[in-house]
Amino acid sequence: MKRIVLTGGPCAGKTTALVKIIEHFSSLGYKVFIIPEVPTLFSQAGMDYLTDNYAFFYEGEKATLEMQIALEDKFTRIAETIEEPTIIVCDRGTMDISAYMKPAMWQDITSALSTDSERLRARYDAVLHLVSAADGAEQFYTTATNAERTEGLELARELDKKVISAWSEHPRLRVINNHENFDTKINRVLQEISNVLEIPQQVIEERKYIVRLIGDIPGAIESDIKQTYLTSEPRSEVRLRRRTLNGVSVNVRTTKKTLPTNEQVETERQIDNNLYESLMRQADPYRYSIHKIRKTFIWRGQFFELDTYLEPISNLQILETKGIVDHEDVNFPPFLEVLEDITGKTEYYNYNLALKR
């Protein structure tokens, strides 16, 4: 059983994506449960999230979080009673709620419920964030598809970034770009869920470029990454990644196995510090650990990762964006100078950059 959050900014395509998820994975033999968007249920019942009444807002948001947790837990217990494989997809998750209030109130609410942001994020196997149409696909932005939606373009962009920030410490956060063709966006959602379910996928090259940062990145989220490759079997790659964000470190063990059909199965598991230190003893003696600073951001509807390498090499910055199909252009931001397109150049894969020479 897997529990997945489908989130995103306003008018991002979640409603359509949920329908496609049910159709696609039901046809593969999965039982799909959809947890409805709790704030919408509350709004329809009379909750006013725009109120100036502090006590009313606090109790409403606290009740929203309580209901979100309760629904997820109830459906998890229901899912445990059936034999077929199950997927629980949450139309927004617990951390989405934090994006709509000040940090101090969120701290008060989570403390009152004897939980915290780290434990709430850990409830999910993956988080898929669909970028709002307000960022890069403005011609498709509308408030007509949800009677409870009141956001204009600028507010929608701001909320989009706040939601990403709320989930940024989750080890399997995937941001789904806007595309020229909306079907491409939906197919990316299905591909990412298939990866979580460990269904073999065709290997898709990510767009990568050597760049130079020449200005400030607005709204970037910065994290520190240490990546170590372990000894592994042929046609397999195993790595440990420790990602530190806002003083909190998350460890992930990733295994990539290439099948004889050239399809790839990728498995990711979050691990504790003790297991991390134990597995580090299996570090590949022929490779260095990679240390880099990552800045993630959205520009004109596309999600980017900018890695600045510190060890074992320096003076290298690589920009990566996922999910851009062959005929689409990359919307390069003005604060980056593109030096070289290295998409598909194996010498720039982290696995090869780590090689001792």
Side-chain angles (χ1 to χ4, degrees), residues 16 26 50 66 83 106 128-129 147 150 153 179-180 208 284 309 313 315 331 338 356:
T16 301
S26 294
L50 301 179
E66 288 177 304
E83 294 183 359
W106 177 247
L128 307 184
H129 179 101
T150 59
L153 281 172
H179 293 272
E180 295 172 5
K208 290 187 178 183
D284 186 339
Y309 287 78
I313 53 177
N315 299 319
N331 297 321
V338 179
K356 294 180 179 179

Side-chain angles (χ1 to χ4, degrees), residues 45-92:
M47 175 61 194
D48 179 9
Y49 289 102
L50 301 179
T51 181
D52 292 328
N53 184 326
Y54 181 91
F56 178 40
F57 182 73
Y58 174 89
E59 291 299 333
E61 289 286 23
K62 180 169 172 281
T64 301
L65 180 57
E66 288 177 304
M67 181 61 72
Q68 181 76 44
I69 293 171
L71 281 172
E72 292 173 5
D73 290 347
K74 292 293 185 184
F75 274 91
T76 297
R77 285 194 282 274
I78 292 170
E80 290 170 347
T81 67
I82 60 179
E83 294 183 359
E84 60 258 58
T86 59
I87 314 169
I88 298 175
V89 181
C90 304
D91 186 352
R92 300 195 180 278

Side-chain angles (χ1 to χ4, degrees), residues 33-310:
F33 293 101
I34 303 295
I35 306 297
E37 186 178 279
V38 176
T40 296
L41 295 178
F42 272 46
S43 293
Q44 292 169 347
M47 175 61 194
D48 179 9
Y49 289 102
L50 301 179
T51 181
D52 292 328
N53 184 326
Y54 181 91
F56 178 40
F57 182 73
Y58 174 89
E59 291 299 333
E61 289 286 23
K62 180 169 172 281
T64 301
L65 180 57
E66 288 177 304
M67 181 61 72
Q68 181 76 44
I69 293 171
L71 281 172
E72 292 173 5
D73 290 347
K74 292 293 185 184
F75 274 91
T76 297
R77 285 194 282 274
I78 292 170
E80 290 170 347
T81 67
I82 60 179
E83 294 183 359
E84 60 258 58
T86 59
I87 314 169
I88 298 175
V89 181
C90 304
D91 186 352
R92 300 195 180 278
T94 53
M95 289 303 299
D96 283 78
I97 300 168
S98 70
Y100 293 81
M101 68 184 74
K102 293 182 179 179
M105 179 179 285
W106 177 247
Q107 178 67 39
D108 289 344
I109 289 175
T110 53
S111 295
L113 299 182
S114 300
T115 188
D116 55 41
S117 296
E118 184 176 357
R119 278 183 280 182
L120 291 174
R121 278 187 286 263
R123 294 170 59 85
Y124 311 99
D125 295 285
V127 179
L128 307 184
H129 179 101
L130 278 64
V131 175
S132 171
D135 197 338
E138 291 84 354
Q139 67 272 29
F140 300 113
Y141 183 80
T142 176
T143 60
T145 55
N146 186 335
E148 308 305 324
R149 181 177 296 139
T150 59
E151 304 91 346
L153 281 172
E154 287 302 322
L155 179 57
R157 294 187 188 110
E158 181 183 344
L159 287 173
D160 204 36
K161 292 177 172 60
K162 284 184 176 180
V163 173
I164 288 180
S165 180
W167 289 107
S168 60
E169 292 177 34
H170 194 284
R172 198 155 192 168
L173 168 66
R174 299 292 185 265
V175 180
I176 313 297
N177 296 334
N178 286 315
H179 293 272
E180 295 172 5
N181 185 334
F182 183 69
D183 287 342
T184 302
K185 188 175 188 179
I186 298 301
N187 287 336
R188 173 89 191 283
V189 171
L190 301 180
Q191 289 168 2
E192 291 293 351
I193 294 177
S194 295
N195 286 336
V196 175
L197 299 174
E198 299 177 19
I199 298 173
Q201 298 286 297
Q202 291 293 330
V203 179
I204 300 175
E205 289 287 357
E206 297 148 352
R207 300 278 190 94
K208 290 187 178 183
Y209 304 86
I210 296 178
V211 298
R212 181 184 296 119
L213 183 62
I214 56 176
D216 294 330
I217 305 177
I221 298 171
E222 182 174 312
S223 58
D224 183 282
I225 294 174
K226 184 177 181 181
Q227 189 163 299
T228 303
Y229 290 91
L230 308 184
T231 54
S232 59
E233 299 175 352
R235 297 178 66 86
S236 294
E237 178 185 306
V238 182
R239 71 165 185 246
L240 294 181
R241 174 178 287 176
R242 171 168 283 175
R243 180 171 178 252
T244 304
L245 176 65
N246 299 325
V248 178
S249 294
V250 175
N251 309 315
V252 176
R253 180 183 187 272
T254 302
T255 301
K256 294 181 181 180
K257 185 174 183 179
T258 303
L259 304 178
T261 58
N262 283 330
E263 292 179 313
Q264 194 173 80
V265 177
E266 181 174 319
T267 305
E268 287 190 331
R269 297 284 184 270
Q270 187 170 339
I271 59 176
D272 61 25
N273 288 332
N274 289 335
L275 182 54
Y276 176 87
E277 297 299 337
S278 176
L279 289 172
M280 282 291 288
R281 300 190 188 104
Q282 302 175 25
D284 186 339
Y286 299 103
R287 285 177 167 80
Y288 295 106
S289 291
I290 287 179
H291 185 199
K292 57 188 178 181
I293 301 297
R294 171 167 293 173
K295 294 183 178 181
T296 59
F297 60 94
I298 293 176
W299 183 261
R300 293 180 60 191
Q302 293 178 358
F303 180 73
F304 293 93
E305 296 175 344
L306 175 63
D307 287 347
T308 300
Y309 287 78
L310 305 178

